Amino acid sequence: MISYKNLKRYRDIAHILIKYGFSFIVEKLNIEGVAYRIPITNPPEEIKAMSTGEKIRRVFEELGPTYVKLGQILSTRKDLLDQDIIDELSKLRDSVEEFSTYTAREIFIEELGLSVDDVFAEFNNEPMAAASIGQVYEAVLKSGEQVIVKIQRPNIEETIKSDLEILRTIVKGLKDLKKDIDIDLGQIIEEFQIQLLRELDYNFEAINAIKFKQMFKDSEMVYIPQVYSQFTTRRVLVMEKIIGVKLSDIDKINKMGWDTKAISEIGVKSFFKQVFEHGFFHADPHPGNIFVLNNRCISYIDFGMIGIIDKKTLNILNEVALAVIDKNVDKIMYLMMEIDAIDTEDEIAGIRQDLLYLIHYYYDVPLEKISIGDILNEIFRFFRTYKVTMPSQLATLAKTVITLEGTARELNPEFSVSSMGKEYIRYYYVNKFSPERIFLNSKNSMEEILLDLKTIPRQLRVILRNLEKNKVKINIEDIEVPRLETRIADLATQLSLSLVLASIVVGSSLIIASPNIEKNVWIKYMAIIGFSISFIIGILLVIKIFRTQYKKK
């Protein structure tokens, strides 16, 4: 059932889907008969000439901010979608109208209980940027620091929650489509909802920025802007303004005479520090989110999208990298099973053969000619072909690596995989064999052993208690079980036929022995029919027994 407050929105969605040739989705949904009230028309030739990816992008653009965000997140899932669709979704940009600064000032008062004039010595009423979630202003604190102020759009939370409710209903309506597209739409919407609701809370972005500030507190190569927590709430964020050159402005960087090669190396080193040392990384390092402060220092901004990777997954990823170097396909497949990327024995031979080809194809190619993006895109194609499940944290990491490589190549056209590879190997061995890491791993191993020693006796007591109370259930799964079920079914059939046969023979015999048999000819006929039926059942029973014995042999 749908909420009737969303009925108009459903109609809008249906109209847009039909406009771009996705009427089959509308027909599948048919929510509250909405589809049957909208005439299905053929899209114009201009739309028919578009690629599927472009049509999907246009649909998201017309559906508004929530769906633009969904498209942006889907553009990172190269393991799920084909490259032509990814390329189109990557073009999605927030394109929204500004809301009035008067409204922004009112929201500021609602959140902080203070007016803009109470907090800032200067406040530029012209927004420097307008995004789907909020608007950004330049200001100067009373204490003199230059800051940027993010203020959330009015009613945006209600709009997004309403759209999320609609999306969940749409996904339920399209559950039959899953077998055709091999994508878990429900899981995607769940991940999207978590991401979007986090973006609606500026406290989340503030905490991320504070973590990054702590991460690079002793670094001279990376600077993280300060968050002014006393002026930050769910709907307002005040952060230090970064004075520098956007990484996207290559011409200006060159005019400043800064070393673009050194800057690209800083970006790579800072990324590996985030991943290897902290398992917490900036998941959107495109040129617009990085400023160059000087020849040897960069600064990240916009901490709404971050990635997290746990130590176990990172260790497995390292093992996969080393297995690739050794061309050890069997170890790669074993490690993929460890992270539940492969959960079936089907097509194992095909997976192994394709992996072997993939490794040998790239193994002897000169490093300067290899693109990490090309390699990862090929791996994603491989995953889609064999329906390999990729953990979302790895998908985020891979997307970040591709974005980082693209950013580095813009700065330094000679950037190659060897640059990233050398830094990867350095971080891998420094982290694996540093005394601190060895001590920490040993400490963790000892803690795990002690924990096991503590929990095993308790687990044994639980098992013995359940045995004593006869609460133990044993599930037997074996290849012989289906045969056993068949045998039991055969015996039950034979027993049933035997009982029916015996009852008919006994009944017919009683009729024959009756003294009234000569008085009524129909009684005689019933006895003859009973014996005839019992004869037929007896023949069937003998055939059934012989067939069962033959099957056993």
Side-chain angles (χ1 to χ4, degrees), residues 482-509:
R483 193 178 297 173
L484 179 62
E485 290 177 354
T486 305
R487 182 66 180 143
I488 291 169
D490 289 338
L491 287 171
T493 304
Q494 291 171 22
L495 182 61
S496 301
L497 287 171
S498 300
L499 289 171
V500 172
L501 174 62
S503 61
I504 293 175
V505 169
V506 170
S508 300
S509 299

Side-chain angles (χ1 to χ4, degrees), residues 13 25 197 322 325 437 494:
I13 291 169
I25 295 178
L197 292 179
L322 294 174
I325 292 170
R437 179 62 58 185
Q494 291 171 22

Side-chain angles (χ1 to χ4, degrees), residues 103-115:
T103 303
R105 283 172 171 264
E106 290 295 309
I107 292 170
F108 191 92
I109 292 173
E110 286 174 19
E111 290 296 301
L112 290 162
L114 297 168
S115 71

Side-chain angles (χ1 to χ4, degrees), residues 409-454:
R409 284 188 187 277
E410 281 188 37
L411 277 172
N412 176 23
E414 296 177 1
F415 179 84
S416 70
V417 69
S418 61
S419 307
M420 193 169 279
K422 286 174 185 173
E423 198 61 34
Y424 169 82
I425 290 168
R426 189 179 76 82
Y427 262 96
Y428 173 75
Y429 283 106
V430 165
N431 276 272
K432 190 174 181 67
F433 298 113
S434 68
E436 183 184 351
R437 179 62 58 185
I438 291 171
F439 173 76
L440 187 61
N441 288 340
S442 301
K443 178 175 173 285
N444 290 339
S445 298
M446 287 300 297
E447 286 177 352
E448 286 178 12
I449 291 169
L450 289 171
L451 187 62
D452 286 340
L453 289 173
K454 286 181 181 178

Side-chain angles (χ1 to χ4, degrees), residues 189-362:
I189 296 304
E190 186 68 28
E191 290 176 11
F192 170 60
Q193 176 174 305
I194 292 169
Q195 173 66 33
L196 201 50
L197 292 179
R198 281 174 180 169
E199 287 193 40
L200 283 172
D201 186 353
Y202 285 152
N203 285 315
F204 178 77
E205 184 176 347
I207 290 168
N208 291 339
I210 291 167
K211 284 184 178 179
F212 274 97
K213 185 79 173 174
Q214 181 67 21
M215 192 186 301
F216 291 103
K217 66 178 181 179
D218 299 321
S219 174
E220 295 180 357
M221 296 188 297
V222 177
Y223 182 80
I224 304 298
Q226 181 182 344
V227 172
Y228 293 91
S229 301
Q230 67 271 35
F231 303 126
T232 296
T233 68
R234 282 182 58 86
R235 300 168 69 199
V236 174
L237 173 64
V238 179
M239 187 181 287
E240 177 186 357
K241 181 184 177 182
I242 295 298
I243 310 296
V245 181
K246 274 194 176 182
L247 206 61
S248 53
D249 195 348
I250 305 294
D251 291 338
K252 191 169 182 180
I253 292 172
N254 287 326
K255 283 179 183 176
M256 299 289 288
W258 292 340
D259 186 347
T260 53
K261 183 180 178 182
I263 293 167
S264 67
E265 288 174 357
I266 290 170
V268 171
K269 287 177 182 178
S270 68
F271 170 72
F272 281 118
K273 179 181 175 68
Q274 295 166 49
V275 173
F276 280 95
E277 293 184 23
H278 302 275
F280 181 85
F281 56 94
H282 195 296
D284 195 19
H286 67 75
N289 280 341
I290 302 174
F291 279 80
V292 182
L293 304 188
N294 57 54
N295 200 37
R296 298 294 301 170
C297 186
I298 65 171
S299 175
Y300 290 94
I301 64 166
D302 195 349
F303 302 94
M305 190 178 292
I306 55 97
I308 298 174
I309 185 163
D310 61 87
K311 292 294 181 185
K312 180 184 175 182
T313 306
L314 190 58
N315 287 336
I316 288 176
L317 194 61
N318 292 334
E319 293 296 324
V320 169
L322 294 174
V324 168
I325 292 170
D326 292 336
K327 298 184 186 178
N328 190 340
V329 175
D330 293 322
K331 186 174 182 181
I332 295 170
M333 294 186 69
Y334 167 76
L335 292 166
M336 289 172 72
M337 290 177 183
E338 279 286 291
I339 58 172
D340 297 324
I342 301 174
D343 59 357
T344 175
E345 293 294 320
D346 298 339
E347 297 182 318
I348 287 290
I351 293 175
R352 192 179 186 285
Q353 190 63 34
D354 253 19
L355 263 177
L356 198 60
Y357 170 79
L358 199 61
I359 290 169
H360 280 273
Y361 178 80
Y362 283 104

